[in-house]
Amino acid sequence: MTTLVNDMPVLRTNLSEYPLTKALRDGRVASDIVKLDFCGPTPAHNGFKAMVRENAFDAGELAIVTFLQAKAYGKPYVLLPTPISGRFQHHCAGFNSDFGHINPKDIEGKQVGVRTYTQTTALWIRGILRHEYGVDLDKVNWMTLGDGHLAEYMDPPNCTRLPKGSSIPQMMLDGELTAALLGEDMPKDPRVRTLVPDAQNAAKDWFARENVVPINHMFVVHQDLSRQRPDIVRELYRMIVDSRALTEGGVPTIFPPIGLEANRKGLQLAIDWAFDQKIIPHRLSVDELFDDVTGSLG
């Protein structure tokens, strides 16, 4: 699983460079007992499928939805209580106002684009649409570009695959899709409106009630590493925490915290919504996402 360089283990690591991970990536945060080979693709999500299907990495970031599926299907990874990315998601459903105003429930019976049904951004914004605005998600025809990261998983029956090469943002702009769930790919176009009314303030109101910043990616390690070298897993935790402390400008005020208990509510919400949206086959507990080593960090 690992190679040795000067008797020091080298971990195949899939981790993008974000403000929080920059000090880890550029070597300002280093270790005397382990080296990290940042051999994953850019962006890191392009390596998630290889991670859970081929054990291609020893450690790295993983979308929380992908990890929940990996755990449900018995893949050999365990979670560290260290979010790598997270944000509010209320703004991530959009529509072209040229074709008329729509309210959240208006997408029932319509075609809505999303890169993959299991995309983490999609989990969160669908949950918001259901639980805050009463949308019946089973009545929406989700138009997808690709399959999920887990080979064992099949999309729900109300998903339809778009032709290869389709552009969901363009199809939304052209009115071929009533709406689209998009993160950074949301078109910067004055005609585009958020499906959630006044999304920025809606997110603030939701946070005031729930005190949860939706998690996108968290750090995971292969279970063999945790069993054989718990000292290295504890060192990885230290390195992530130290890198986070060196974030230029500081960690954003709105960002998932460090620690199992601090993230318990957010993780439980992700589990509940993933089960509700038919993304995982059975409900998981927060504690089973961790092992004795990773669950005691912090």
Side-chain angles (χ1 to χ4, degrees), residues 53-126:
R53 294 192 184 197
E54 305 160 22
N55 292 339
F57 303 101
D58 305 312
E61 64 182 287
L62 199 59
I64 189 59
V65 168
T66 303
F67 178 77
L68 293 178
Q69 287 193 307
K71 180 58 66 174
Y73 290 111
K75 304 304 176 184
Y77 289 94
V78 294
L79 200 63
L80 272 67
T82 47
I84 299 299
S85 62
R87 65 176 178 192
F88 291 144
Q89 309 281 0
H90 288 65
H91 65 287
C92 293
F95 67 95
N96 185 349
S97 59
D98 271 3
F99 296 97
H101 178 79
I102 59 172
N103 295 309
K105 278 187 72 67
D106 294 334
I107 66 171
E108 294 177 4
K110 303 296 197 304
Q111 295 184 338
V112 177
V114 61
R115 178 164 53 86
T116 67
Y117 181 76
T118 56
Q119 185 182 358
T120 297
T121 289
L123 168 91
W124 289 116
I125 183 60
R126 278 195 307 258

Side-chain angles (χ1 to χ4, degrees), residues 21-71:
T21 62
K22 191 175 188 337
L24 192 58
R25 290 276 316 219
D26 66 20
R28 281 179 289 154
V29 173
S31 172
D32 294 331
I33 65 170
V34 66
K35 288 188 179 296
L36 305 183
D37 175 15
F38 295 107
C39 57
T42 301
H45 69 73
N46 287 339
F48 292 171
K49 188 176 286 189
M51 191 175 206
V52 296
R53 294 192 184 197
E54 305 160 22
N55 292 339
F57 303 101
D58 305 312
E61 64 182 287
L62 199 59
I64 189 59
V65 168
T66 303
F67 178 77
L68 293 178
Q69 287 193 307
K71 180 58 66 174

Side-chain angles (χ1 to χ4, degrees), residues 76-291:
Y77 289 94
V78 294
L79 200 63
L80 272 67
T82 47
I84 299 299
S85 62
R87 65 176 178 192
F88 291 144
Q89 309 281 0
H90 288 65
H91 65 287
C92 293
F95 67 95
N96 185 349
S97 59
D98 271 3
F99 296 97
H101 178 79
I102 59 172
N103 295 309
K105 278 187 72 67
D106 294 334
I107 66 171
E108 294 177 4
K110 303 296 197 304
Q111 295 184 338
V112 177
V114 61
R115 178 164 53 86
T116 67
Y117 181 76
T118 56
Q119 185 182 358
T120 297
T121 289
L123 168 91
W124 289 116
I125 183 60
R126 278 195 307 258
I128 290 161
L129 291 171
R130 171 168 183 172
H131 295 284
E132 298 284 302
Y133 299 94
V135 177
D136 186 339
L137 302 177
D138 293 335
K139 292 183 178 177
V140 180
N141 190 4
W142 304 104
M143 311 298 291
T144 66
L145 283 177
D147 59 354
H149 295 132
L150 275 292
E152 295 87 343
Y153 177 76
M154 290 189 63
D155 288 344
N158 58 322
C159 290
T160 303
R161 192 62 48 85
L162 289 164
K164 191 172 182 179
S166 298
S167 166
I168 288 175
Q170 192 59 50
M171 291 179 72
M172 182 260 285
L173 287 175
D174 293 343
E176 296 173 51
L177 297 170
T178 299
L181 310 185
L182 297 164
E184 303 305 320
D185 300 328
M186 189 70 75
K188 306 295 190 289
D189 188 299
R191 297 171 294 172
V192 174
R193 301 285 186 272
T194 59
L195 187 58
V196 169
D198 193 8
Q200 190 172 359
N201 283 324
K204 290 177 181 176
D205 175 65
W206 187 79
F207 180 69
R209 287 182 281 121
E210 299 291 338
N211 196 31
V212 167
V213 179
I215 296 162
N216 276 36
H217 299 176
M218 292 185 78
F219 201 86
V220 306
V221 296
H222 196 283
Q223 67 182 17
D224 290 350
L225 179 68
S226 190
R227 289 169 179 171
Q228 297 163 15
R229 293 296 306 268
D231 58 326
I232 286 179
V233 174
R234 286 189 284 268
E235 179 75 337
L236 289 170
Y237 176 79
R238 181 211 47 96
M239 294 168 77
I240 295 165
V241 170
D242 286 357
S243 181
R244 183 174 167 124
L246 293 172
T247 301
E248 186 175 340
V251 177
T253 305
I254 301 300
F255 200 84
I258 288 279
L260 193 165
E261 292 308 322
N263 284 287
R264 183 176 291 276
K265 186 175 182 182
L267 290 170
Q268 188 65 60
L269 199 57
I271 291 168
D272 291 345
W273 286 7
F275 180 67
D276 182 57
Q277 295 176 33
K278 306 177 182 69
I279 287 172
I280 53 176
H282 56 271
R283 197 181 300 275
L284 301 163
S285 72
V286 171
D287 291 311
E288 71 183 286
L289 308 182
F290 303 84
D291 65 8

